[in-house]
Amino acid sequence: MVSGSEAKIDVNVDFSQKLCASLMLPSFRGSQSPLSLIIGSLCIKHPNLFGGSEKLDVSWDKGPYDSNALIAYRRPRPEWLSQQSFVIQHSVSPEIGVHGTPTDNFSRSGSGGVNLSQFSVGLDLTEPANSNWSSTTSIRFKHVRPLNDDGRSISRDLDGLPVTCSGSPHDSMVVLKQESHYAKANDHSFFRLRFQIEQGIPLLSKWIIFNKLKFVASKGVKLGPAFLLTSLTGGSIVGDMAPYQAFAIGGLGSVRGYGEGAIGVGRSCLVANSEFTFPLNETLEGAIFLDGGTDLGSGRHVPGNPSLRQGKPGSGIGVGYGLRFKSQFGHFQVDCAINAFQQKTLSFGISNLTS
């Protein structure tokens, strides 16, 4: 960290989701250099860019197979007005959830030879918090370009089916997004609700027109020294869509015991999670969990029907146990889960690390 009167630069290494990916996903790049295996992040913050408290944030995150660069410029406004941010973002990531091939009884997902390069530019508006509610509205132009594992643009997957909505090597769209959060907590429990709506605006005839809804509801309750956490996630999309816009079910953030997207890929989804944690000592907790998810029979409505081609079941349940270690440097977790095909998986995670 470098501090000064005008700017502050933070350099840190983040092993949270990136470490999970490197342990759970097989190598799928044709050739790898030592730089391709670097996992880290760079953050530059300028608190007073033009002398009027304008803020400039520049961040770059690099994983073994993905990267994300973000530039955000914020102008100061009164607290009772919406806070505005001008955002430019570019990311590259493997599309494992939709195009990946399940292996080892659906416990892992291998590369399907499709990666996404996404560029977006637009404006974010954050509304002033009102009681327990908060909301953010954004409008962005997005340009999505599928790539193969060698970094070349493609319009079809390994089976010869389109990977874009337009059928060309790229899709373009203007997306209006509204996200609302509700949170309420006391000493014994909490409840959180998040709604997200995306609308594709057809400014040009070839641009994608769609409406996508997603919600996440979670409830946590203290039971003596133990804690019970339950959550329900669902979503649906109508109108035009490309395969990469579908909901992928299965994986560390969905149904444990399965590879990423190994349960199914659908226009709709529903995922339920429950986890019971209990203290073993001051820094170590034990956990047992039960996850379940389904595409609600919507997999056949995804262009190219990747679920059918890859033999995904469309629904699944995972059950398991794990450990949670807490320290001043971050949280570390290990989970062992078994899916409906009696295949065990072991996953690792580290979060909230500081350098």
Side-chain angles (χ1 to χ4, degrees):
M1 178 180 297
V2 179
S3 299
S5 59
E6 296 184 350
K8 179 178 69 173
I9 299 177
D10 294 326
V11 180
N12 69 299
V13 177
D14 176 14
F15 286 99
S16 57
Q17 300 298 328
K18 306 295 190 308
L19 178 60
C20 296
S22 63
L23 292 173
M24 298 297 293
L25 295 177
S27 173
F28 59 88
R29 296 291 183 185
S31 62
Q32 287 187 340
S33 67
L35 291 178
S36 68
L37 297 178
I38 291 177
I39 306 172
S41 61
L42 171 68
C43 180
I44 302 174
K45 295 179 180 289
H46 199 305
N48 192 22
L49 187 61
F50 298 117
S53 298
E54 302 90 349
K55 294 180 173 60
L56 177 68
D57 296 341
V58 180
S59 64
W60 176 68
D61 294 282
K62 173 69 172 63
Y65 314 119
D66 61 343
S67 65
N68 181 68
L70 177 69
I71 301 174
Y73 169 72
R74 301 174 177 88
R75 293 185 303 173
R77 304 190 74 192
E79 294 182 357
W80 61 86
L81 296 178
S82 300
Q83 301 302 306
Q84 299 178 351
S85 299
F86 179 75
V87 179
I88 301 175
Q89 186 172 13
H90 179 263
S91 65
V92 178
S93 60
E95 190 52 83
I96 298 292
V98 174
H99 296 282
T101 303
T103 60
D104 297 337
N105 286 332
F106 300 92
S107 65
R108 297 168 65 91
S109 293
S111 170
V114 179
N115 308 274
L116 291 182
S117 172
Q118 302 187 69
F119 172 81
S120 67
V121 57
L123 185 67
D124 293 352
L125 300 175
T126 302
E127 299 293 336
N130 181 13
S131 184
N132 298 321
W133 284 95
S134 62
S135 65
T136 301
T137 303
S138 65
I139 184 166
R140 294 195 188 186
F141 167 78
K142 291 188 176 183
H143 183 83
V144 182
R145 187 164 58 99
L147 309 172
N148 62 15
D149 288 345
D150 295 324
R152 297 187 178 93
S153 295
I154 57 175
S155 60
R156 298 182 178 274
D157 60 19
L158 297 179
D159 295 325
L161 295 173
V163 291
T164 60
C165 181
S166 63
S168 68
H170 61 82
D171 283 332
S172 296
M173 65 198 84
V174 171
V175 180
L176 178 64
K177 179 180 176 181
Q178 173 74 40
E179 189 166 343
S180 300
H181 297 260
Y182 173 83
K184 186 176 182 180
N186 55 42
D187 293 337
H188 305 287
S189 65
F190 74 83
F191 176 73
R192 295 173 186 159
L193 180 63
R194 178 168 65 91
F195 282 106
Q196 180 178 297
I197 300 176
E198 296 183 29
Q199 176 69 58
I201 302 175
L203 296 184
L204 296 179
S205 60
K206 294 183 179 181
W207 288 6
I208 300 177
I209 310 172
F210 66 93
N211 189 281
K212 187 175 185 179
L213 169 68
K214 183 180 179 180
F215 73 88
V216 180
S218 58
K219 174 75 172 181
V221 180
K222 282 187 178 181
L223 301 174
F227 193 79
L228 176 64
L229 176 64
T230 61
S231 66
L232 183 67
T233 303
S236 186
I237 181 171
V238 295
D240 301 334
M241 74 171 294
Y244 57 77
Q245 292 179 297
F247 295 96
I249 308 158
L252 297 177
S254 176
V255 180
R256 286 164 286 189
Y258 292 84
E260 184 179 353
I263 289 180
V265 178
R267 274 186 175 263
S268 302
C269 76
L270 196 63
V271 175
N273 309 94
S274 59
E275 180 170 296
F276 181 76
T277 58
F278 47 92
L280 299 177
N281 56 42
E282 292 183 356
T283 59
L284 188 65
E285 292 181 338
I288 55 176
F289 56 84
L290 174 66
D291 302 333
T294 174
D295 64 6
L296 301 173
S298 65
R300 64 183 183 275
H301 300 302
V302 176
N305 200 345
S307 286
L308 178 64
R309 288 187 286 131
Q310 297 156 5
K312 297 180 179 181
S315 61
I317 295 176
V319 62
Y321 57 90
L323 294 174
R324 310 286 183 262
F325 177 75
K326 299 180 180 180
S327 74
Q328 60 180 341
F329 301 106
H331 297 172
F332 177 78
Q333 79 177 53
V334 180
D335 287 332
C336 181
I338 186 169
N339 62 30
F341 297 91
Q342 306 299 310
Q343 180 66 41
K344 290 184 178 180
T345 63
L346 187 66
S347 61
F348 305 86
I350 302 177
S351 61
N352 299 328
L353 281 182
T354 57
S355 56

